[in-house]
Short mmCIF file of all heavy atoms in Angstrom, two decimals:
data_model
loop_
_atom_site.label_atom_id
_atom_site.label_comp_id
_atom_site.label_asym_id
_atom_site.label_seq_id
_atom_site.Cartn_x
_atom_site.Cartn_y
_atom_site.Cartn_z
N LEU A 348 -22.73 -27.07 -4.63
CA LEU A 348 -22.49 -27.86 -5.84
C LEU A 348 -22.53 -29.37 -5.57
O LEU A 348 -22.83 -30.16 -6.45
CB LEU A 348 -21.13 -27.52 -6.47
CG LEU A 348 -21.00 -26.06 -6.99
CD1 LEU A 348 -19.58 -25.79 -7.46
CD2 LEU A 348 -22.03 -25.79 -8.07
N LYS A 349 -22.28 -29.72 -4.33
CA LYS A 349 -22.36 -31.15 -3.96
C LYS A 349 -23.77 -31.57 -3.55
O LYS A 349 -23.99 -32.72 -3.25
CB LYS A 349 -21.42 -31.40 -2.72
CG LYS A 349 -19.94 -31.25 -3.02
CD LYS A 349 -19.18 -31.44 -1.73
CE LYS A 349 -17.66 -31.25 -2.01
NZ LYS A 349 -16.89 -31.37 -0.76
N GLY A 350 -24.69 -30.60 -3.64
CA GLY A 350 -26.08 -30.94 -3.29
C GLY A 350 -26.35 -30.90 -1.80
O GLY A 350 -27.33 -31.44 -1.29
N TYR A 351 -25.39 -30.22 -1.07
CA TYR A 351 -25.59 -30.13 0.33
C TYR A 351 -26.76 -29.20 0.70
O TYR A 351 -26.92 -28.15 0.16
CB TYR A 351 -24.34 -29.58 0.99
CG TYR A 351 -24.41 -29.29 2.49
CD1 TYR A 351 -24.36 -30.32 3.40
CD2 TYR A 351 -24.52 -27.97 2.90
CE1 TYR A 351 -24.42 -30.07 4.76
CE2 TYR A 351 -24.63 -27.69 4.27
CZ TYR A 351 -24.57 -28.73 5.18
OH TYR A 351 -24.66 -28.48 6.52
N SER A 352 -27.59 -29.63 1.67
CA SER A 352 -28.75 -28.84 2.10
C SER A 352 -28.55 -28.38 3.53
O SER A 352 -28.24 -29.21 4.39
CB SER A 352 -30.04 -29.62 1.92
OG SER A 352 -31.14 -28.91 2.44
N ASN A 353 -28.78 -27.13 3.76
CA ASN A 353 -28.70 -26.61 5.12
C ASN A 353 -30.06 -26.24 5.68
O ASN A 353 -30.17 -25.42 6.56
CB ASN A 353 -27.73 -25.41 5.20
CG ASN A 353 -28.16 -24.32 4.22
OD1 ASN A 353 -29.19 -24.41 3.60
ND2 ASN A 353 -27.38 -23.28 4.16
N ASN A 354 -31.12 -26.83 5.08
CA ASN A 354 -32.50 -26.65 5.51
C ASN A 354 -32.98 -25.24 5.30
O ASN A 354 -33.99 -24.79 5.92
CB ASN A 354 -32.67 -27.02 7.00
CG ASN A 354 -32.34 -28.47 7.22
OD1 ASN A 354 -32.69 -29.34 6.45
ND2 ASN A 354 -31.71 -28.80 8.38
N LYS A 355 -32.28 -24.47 4.45
CA LYS A 355 -32.78 -23.16 4.11
C LYS A 355 -33.46 -23.21 2.76
O LYS A 355 -32.92 -23.77 1.80
CB LYS A 355 -31.61 -22.15 4.05
CG LYS A 355 -31.00 -21.87 5.44
CD LYS A 355 -29.93 -20.79 5.34
CE LYS A 355 -29.37 -20.44 6.72
NZ LYS A 355 -28.28 -19.45 6.62
N SER A 356 -34.62 -22.64 2.67
CA SER A 356 -35.39 -22.76 1.44
C SER A 356 -34.83 -21.94 0.32
O SER A 356 -34.94 -22.28 -0.87
CB SER A 356 -36.85 -22.31 1.68
OG SER A 356 -36.90 -20.98 2.17
N HIS A 357 -34.13 -20.81 0.62
CA HIS A 357 -33.58 -19.94 -0.37
C HIS A 357 -32.20 -19.48 0.08
O HIS A 357 -31.98 -19.14 1.21
CB HIS A 357 -34.45 -18.70 -0.65
CG HIS A 357 -35.84 -19.04 -1.09
ND1 HIS A 357 -36.19 -19.47 -2.35
CD2 HIS A 357 -36.98 -19.02 -0.38
CE1 HIS A 357 -37.46 -19.70 -2.43
NE2 HIS A 357 -37.98 -19.39 -1.25
N PHE A 358 -31.27 -19.47 -0.85
CA PHE A 358 -29.95 -18.87 -0.57
C PHE A 358 -29.36 -18.41 -1.90
O PHE A 358 -29.74 -18.90 -2.98
CB PHE A 358 -29.00 -19.88 0.14
CG PHE A 358 -28.67 -21.09 -0.71
CD1 PHE A 358 -27.51 -21.11 -1.53
CD2 PHE A 358 -29.47 -22.22 -0.69
CE1 PHE A 358 -27.17 -22.19 -2.27
CE2 PHE A 358 -29.11 -23.34 -1.44
CZ PHE A 358 -27.97 -23.35 -2.22
N ARG A 359 -28.44 -17.53 -1.81
CA ARG A 359 -27.83 -16.91 -3.00
C ARG A 359 -26.33 -16.90 -2.83
O ARG A 359 -25.80 -16.61 -1.72
CB ARG A 359 -28.33 -15.51 -3.25
CG ARG A 359 -27.77 -14.88 -4.51
CD ARG A 359 -28.28 -13.46 -4.73
NE ARG A 359 -27.71 -12.58 -3.73
CZ ARG A 359 -27.83 -11.27 -3.75
NH1 ARG A 359 -28.58 -10.72 -4.70
NH2 ARG A 359 -27.29 -10.52 -2.85
N ILE A 360 -25.60 -17.18 -3.90
CA ILE A 360 -24.13 -17.16 -3.86
C ILE A 360 -23.69 -16.06 -4.86
O ILE A 360 -24.11 -16.11 -6.03
CB ILE A 360 -23.51 -18.51 -4.22
CG1 ILE A 360 -23.94 -19.56 -3.18
CG2 ILE A 360 -22.02 -18.42 -4.30
CD1 ILE A 360 -23.58 -20.98 -3.55
N GLN A 361 -22.89 -15.17 -4.39
CA GLN A 361 -22.48 -14.05 -5.25
C GLN A 361 -20.98 -13.88 -5.24
O GLN A 361 -20.33 -14.00 -4.18
CB GLN A 361 -23.11 -12.74 -4.73
CG GLN A 361 -22.81 -11.52 -5.58
CD GLN A 361 -23.58 -10.30 -5.10
OE1 GLN A 361 -24.72 -10.46 -4.71
NE2 GLN A 361 -22.99 -9.12 -5.23
N ALA A 362 -20.43 -13.61 -6.44
CA ALA A 362 -18.99 -13.43 -6.57
C ALA A 362 -18.60 -12.05 -6.08
O ALA A 362 -19.43 -11.11 -6.00
CB ALA A 362 -18.59 -13.56 -8.01
N PHE A 363 -17.31 -11.87 -5.73
CA PHE A 363 -16.78 -10.55 -5.33
C PHE A 363 -15.47 -10.30 -6.07
O PHE A 363 -14.80 -11.25 -6.47
CB PHE A 363 -16.61 -10.43 -3.85
CG PHE A 363 -15.75 -11.45 -3.22
CD1 PHE A 363 -14.40 -11.18 -2.94
CD2 PHE A 363 -16.26 -12.69 -2.82
CE1 PHE A 363 -13.56 -12.15 -2.37
CE2 PHE A 363 -15.43 -13.68 -2.23
CZ PHE A 363 -14.10 -13.38 -2.02
N THR A 364 -15.17 -9.05 -6.25
CA THR A 364 -14.02 -8.65 -7.09
C THR A 364 -12.85 -8.33 -6.14
O THR A 364 -12.97 -7.69 -5.14
CB THR A 364 -14.37 -7.40 -7.89
OG1 THR A 364 -15.49 -7.68 -8.71
CG2 THR A 364 -13.19 -7.02 -8.77
N VAL A 365 -11.67 -8.81 -6.57
CA VAL A 365 -10.43 -8.57 -5.84
C VAL A 365 -9.43 -7.92 -6.80
O VAL A 365 -9.21 -8.39 -7.91
CB VAL A 365 -9.82 -9.89 -5.24
CG1 VAL A 365 -8.50 -9.60 -4.53
CG2 VAL A 365 -10.81 -10.54 -4.32
N PHE A 366 -8.77 -6.83 -6.34
CA PHE A 366 -7.76 -6.18 -7.11
C PHE A 366 -6.38 -6.63 -6.56
O PHE A 366 -6.06 -6.41 -5.39
CB PHE A 366 -7.86 -4.67 -6.99
CG PHE A 366 -9.08 -4.11 -7.68
CD1 PHE A 366 -10.33 -4.12 -7.08
CD2 PHE A 366 -8.96 -3.58 -8.96
CE1 PHE A 366 -11.45 -3.64 -7.72
CE2 PHE A 366 -10.02 -3.02 -9.59
CZ PHE A 366 -11.33 -3.05 -8.98
N LEU A 367 -5.58 -7.24 -7.43
CA LEU A 367 -4.25 -7.64 -7.08
C LEU A 367 -3.29 -6.63 -7.64
O LEU A 367 -3.22 -6.36 -8.84
CB LEU A 367 -3.95 -9.05 -7.63
CG LEU A 367 -4.89 -10.15 -7.28
CD1 LEU A 367 -4.49 -11.46 -7.95
CD2 LEU A 367 -4.97 -10.35 -5.77
#
Side-chain angles (χ1 to χ4, degrees):
L348 295 176
K349 292 176 182 178
Y351 173 77
S352 175
N353 56 4
N354 297 323
K355 291 184 179 179
S356 58
H357 301 285
F358 65 92
R359 183 181 69 173
I360 298 171
Q361 181 173 328
F363 56 97
T364 304
V365 178
F366 290 80
L367 305 178

